[in-house]
Amino acid sequence: MKMRAPVMTKYCYKIRSRNGAIVDGLQIYGRTEQEARVKLNQMYHNCEVISAGELNLDRSVNSSYEDVLDLIVSNG
């Protein structure tokens, strides 16, 4: 049985940093939005989230050798 890597989602944020600067277009991977927010708060302490969105990439983060071969064979 082949094990698949967890599907990751990319979350996009527009924030106001603690010094008042607006940062737009932050993209953070996470298995859940909560995980992405934890990562965001680790990078930007005490920031204010102005907007948030989700990009579903529908792919595994880590590809195995078998995944690459399957892709080559299916498109060949």
Side-chain angles (χ1 to χ4, degrees), residues 16-18 40-48:
R16 183 182 330 271
S17 68
R18 66 180 173 205
L40 174 66
N41 287 321
Q42 288 173 343
M43 292 183 285
Y44 294 90
H45 299 285
N46 301 320
C47 70
E48 173 192 352

Side-chain angles (χ1 to χ4, degrees), residues 1-2 6 15 20 23 32 42-43 48 50 53 59 73-74:
M1 176 189 280
K2 184 164 70 169
I15 66 163
V23 181
T32 64
Q42 288 173 343
M43 292 183 285
E48 173 192 352
I50 297 171
R59 66 178 176 91
V73 170
S74 68

Side-chain angles (χ1 to χ4, degrees), residues 36-73:
R37 289 232 181 189
V38 167
K39 292 177 183 181
L40 174 66
N41 287 321
Q42 288 173 343
M43 292 183 285
Y44 294 90
H45 299 285
N46 301 320
C47 70
E48 173 192 352
V49 175
I50 297 171
S51 66
E54 177 181 315
L55 295 172
N56 191 352
L57 301 176
D58 194 29
R59 66 178 176 91
S60 297
V61 172
N62 299 319
S63 296
S64 70
Y65 180 71
E66 291 172 335
D67 292 335
V68 174
L69 285 177
D70 289 345
L71 183 63
I72 292 169
V73 170

